[in-house]
Amino acid sequence: MNSIPTNCSSVRNIRRVGSVHAPFSSAGLQPVRSVARRVTRQTRRMAIFNGDVVADDKKTDEKTAAASSRGFAGLPEKPEDMRQSTPAASSFMQVSVLSNSIGGECLKDAVPLIDVLLVVQQKMDFVKQDFQYCWRNTLNRDNFDDNIYFEDPISKFTNYTGYKFNITFLRNFLAPIYEIHDIKQNPDNEFEILSRWSFSMQFWWLRYLPPIKAIWDPRLAFTGTTILGVNPENGKFNKHVDAWDSNKDNKFFSFEGFMFVQQQIWNFSKSSDLATPEFCILKKYKKYEIRRYKPFLVAEVKLNDPKQSEGGNIDPAESDKASAFKQLAGFLGEKNDRGQGLSMTTPVFNKSKQGVMQFYIGEGYKDVSEVPAPKNSSINIRQEPGGLYGVDVFSGNAKQPRVNDRERQLRQWLKRDGTMPVSDEWVLAQYNVPWQLPGFKRNELLIPIDESTFELW
């Protein structure tokens, strides 16, 4: 099984994702290390970085010390530090060559094989730590070949100008957030790097058009893999090919990919701008997605007059939720021992196994002991452990038999893809007020997943 990121950064309704430093695999790095060990120590040490040669050991050591002070795998303090190597990289990147073998000069146009392999290792470090900067700051031209080839299901470019245009357009128009979950060297091609990522976007400029934003505010999300090729002649990226988890056909031009984008753009269901539990999307398929939730605090109360569903669980879609909602809303008001109002949050969770309704308690509280105690003894404050969930997002009214049909369908999809539910438990999450028009309502059905059956790659 592939390792699953356990320290995922967070997404709020696909609005915010931070950087992820997952336990990156070292698979495929042995050729680099074994070759490096065989290099004979000579009179001069060099560090190859992005196709350039740094021959000054003192400067290299200063860079290493600066990186160490920020901690291994930490992001550079600012974009211009993107060329900074890490201590781990330095141990592999410093190699010995005969200073007189080529007249004291290192030919940049003919990089030796050992140097290229080391450049691939350093490129992996760059992708792990700094590739997110491509979407937030100006691209570092030195990292990319003039004839870099880019392809995803709906776009293709064959040079750096087109590649930069694509990234600049997305960055300025859709405010993308790029998150890397894992990275490894391609076992079939030593000059290729494989990465697994999540990518989310939204039309940020709609904030200046409130009437339109009130009815249409799409959030787009994609997950998949990237092949990054390294040119063995200059040590620069010369290929960037993306494949989406949502597609069977990932070759340009993919009508399937185009329709997946359109499906997300013209989705009018909305969630509010209130605080939500933090999660990251690990895989997004055409019909459902897999998320990892971080632990979060909730206030919960038993559903009134609960209805039994198949298997003996409570059916949240059929139970009377009005009384439970009123009690929890009162607690978030001032019905607690401090007479203190808590921020409204979303969604409202309804759990089938426990037969409870839950309100998420916002970010201001990190522990149960910090939360004001409810005056209503029926309300319980506790921490949800988070974890992996299969999620079906749908609009309309969350009523029977529709909800049960979607729950059965989601289980079938998970089992078909080899990801097994933990139990027959499910959760209904509702994001909108009851009087919202059905076409604008956002609902989610969540099923907890057995982590041992989930493969990231």
Side-chain angles (χ1 to χ4, degrees), residues 297 331 337-338 342 361 365 367-374 381:
L297 298 175
F331 164 69
D337 63 347
R338 301 178 197 172
L342 282 70
I361 296 175
Y365 303 95
D367 186 77
V368 172
S369 62
E370 299 177 4
V371 181
I381 308 297

Side-chain angles (χ1 to χ4, degrees), residues 148-152 155-158 163 166 240-242:
I148 183 171
Y149 177 85
F150 173 83
E151 180 181 329
D152 69 17
S155 57
K156 181 168 73 172
F157 301 94
T158 57
Y163 185 68
N166 184 49
H240 180 155
V241 178
D242 288 341

Side-chain angles (χ1 to χ4, degrees), residues 49-50 75-76 79 81-86 89 119-134 139-140 142-144 163 180 183 193 228 237:
F49 186 71
N50 293 332
L75 281 171
D81 289 336
M82 288 169 60
R83 293 169 60 92
Q84 181 86 48
S85 63
T86 64
V119 167
V120 171
Q121 170 60 44
Q122 193 152 25
K123 290 298 185 187
M124 291 179 67
D125 291 332
F126 164 73
V127 173
K128 283 190 291 187
Q129 298 176 42
D130 304 326
F131 207 63
Q132 297 96 315
Y133 280 131
C134 290
L139 284 171
N140 186 336
D142 293 340
N143 286 314
F144 302 95
Y163 185 68
I180 293 178
I183 184 174
I193 297 169
L228 288 169
F237 291 122

Side-chain angles (χ1 to χ4, degrees), residues 88-108:
S90 297
S91 64
F92 295 110
M93 299 306 296
Q94 291 185 347
V95 297
S96 300
V97 297
L98 285 171
S99 59
N100 297 323
S101 63
I102 49 177
E105 298 291 336
C106 183
L107 300 179
K108 295 184 181 180

Side-chain angles (χ1 to χ4, degrees), residues 322-335:
S323 175
F325 186 92
K326 185 177 180 180
Q327 292 179 68
L328 291 173
F331 164 69
L332 290 187
E334 297 181 354
K335 294 184 178 180

Side-chain angles (χ1 to χ4, degrees), residues 5 7 14 222 236 276 333:
N7 58 340
I14 321 174
F222 306 85
K236 298 181 180 183
T276 67

